[in-house]
Amino acid sequence: MSIFGKLLTALRGGANEAGQAVVDSQAMRILDQEIRDAEAALRQSKHHLTEVMAKRQLNANKAGELEAKHAELEASASAALAKGEEGLALEVAERLVELQGELEAETTIVAQFDESIASLRAAIRDSENKVRQLKQQVSVVKATDSVQKAQSAVAAQHSGQTSRMHTAMESLERIKERQQLRGAQMQAAEQLHDEQSGASLEARLKAAGIGARPSQAEDILARLRRPAGEAPAKSDETP
């Protein structure tokens, strides 16, 4: 196949895929319209059935009239024979033959109408059952579609919530890190201030027991504890 032919095939394939995508996206709408079309055809079939039944009734009425006429002429023929009117009875008999043919024709037509009516009724019942079943299945399909959409929405929401929770946890960790950094900076600043002011050195000397002088209260207690005449102990520090 030439390159041009392949391009045409690809275009046809793309058009078919695009058309199928449109059909899939509008599947519910198309299905609803197809059901409406089926219901419209069903109503039309019922209308045709009523027309056929009306025509059948007209032919049945005509057949009834012919039967009544036939019975009347038979009675007339019998009466003519009873009176010895052979010629008149023969004329009546000939008319009875004609009526018999007309009656048979009408009876045949009525029978044909009955067959058509029975066939149409069966077809209508079958169509009604199929439309009813189709509607039930469509209801199930729509319910399933709604459930699946709800599940998808929940899944998407859960995914979004998970993402938001993850983002929130990251934000919390960043806040903690900033607080720890700020605390370390404050501690370092305080330490630097102590070093610059000499407080840190004094604290270390005091902790080592160097340069610390007892308080006046301690001096009083020490003096009271000494026996009379005992000289006070000399301090280790150089005056």
Side-chain angles (χ1 to χ4, degrees):
M1 181 183 293
S2 65
I3 294 177
F4 183 72
K6 291 182 179 179
L7 287 175
L8 289 178
T9 302
L11 289 174
R12 289 200 306 271
N16 182 67
E17 291 176 358
Q20 188 62 46
V22 172
V23 171
D24 291 341
S25 65
Q26 301 295 323
M28 287 297 179
R29 183 176 297 175
I30 293 172
L31 186 57
D32 288 337
Q33 183 58 47
E34 288 174 344
I35 291 176
R36 286 192 292 269
D37 292 341
E39 289 177 330
L42 188 57
R43 288 192 296 271
Q44 190 68 21
S45 297
K46 290 181 178 180
H47 177 70
H48 291 325
L49 176 59
T50 58
E51 290 181 344
V52 171
M53 293 175 67
K55 292 178 180 179
R56 184 263 180 202
Q57 188 59 44
L58 291 176
N59 287 93
N61 293 340
K62 188 175 182 180
E65 293 174 359
L66 290 173
E67 286 180 353
K69 187 64 176 177
H70 189 276
E72 181 183 349
L73 288 177
E74 278 189 346
S76 298
S78 297
L81 288 174
K83 292 183 178 182
E85 299 288 341
E86 293 290 336
L88 183 57
L90 181 59
E91 291 181 9
V92 174
E94 290 174 351
R95 178 57 183 154
L96 282 172
V97 172
E98 294 176 358
L99 285 176
Q100 185 65 36
E102 293 178 8
L103 179 58
E104 289 177 356
E106 292 297 330
T107 303
T108 301
I109 293 174
V110 171
Q112 291 174 348
F113 272 128
D114 288 339
E115 290 179 1
S116 297
I117 290 171
S119 177
L120 283 172
R121 281 178 171 171
I124 288 173
R125 283 195 301 270
D126 183 62
S127 297
E128 286 177 337
N129 289 334
K130 288 181 178 178
V131 170
R132 182 168 56 253
Q133 292 174 1
L134 184 59
K135 283 185 174 181
Q136 292 173 348
Q137 293 176 4
V138 169
S139 298
V140 173
V141 169
K142 287 184 177 180
T144 302
D145 186 64
S146 298
V147 171
Q148 289 178 347
K149 286 181 179 179
Q151 290 175 341
S152 298
V154 170
Q157 185 177 7
H158 177 71
S159 177
Q161 289 177 348
T162 302
S163 177
R164 288 192 293 271
M165 288 295 295
H166 181 70
T167 303
M169 291 298 295
E170 289 180 346
S171 299
L172 179 60
E173 291 299 324
R174 286 195 297 271
I175 292 172
K176 288 182 177 179
E177 289 177 0
R178 287 197 300 269
Q179 289 178 345
Q180 291 174 356
L181 178 60
R182 189 178 299 115
Q185 290 175 341
M186 293 173 63
Q187 185 176 2
E190 183 178 355
Q191 182 178 358
L192 181 61
H193 177 268
D194 290 343
E195 290 177 354
Q196 291 177 348
S197 63
S200 177
L201 177 60
E202 292 177 358
R204 292 198 301 272
L205 289 173
K206 185 177 181 180
I210 301 173
R213 295 184 62 81
S215 64
Q216 293 180 355
E218 291 177 346
D219 289 342
I220 294 173
L221 291 177
R223 180 173 57 78
L224 293 174
R225 290 192 187 97
R226 288 196 303 272
E230 182 179 347
K234 293 183 178 180
S235 175
D236 294 334
E237 295 180 0
T238 304

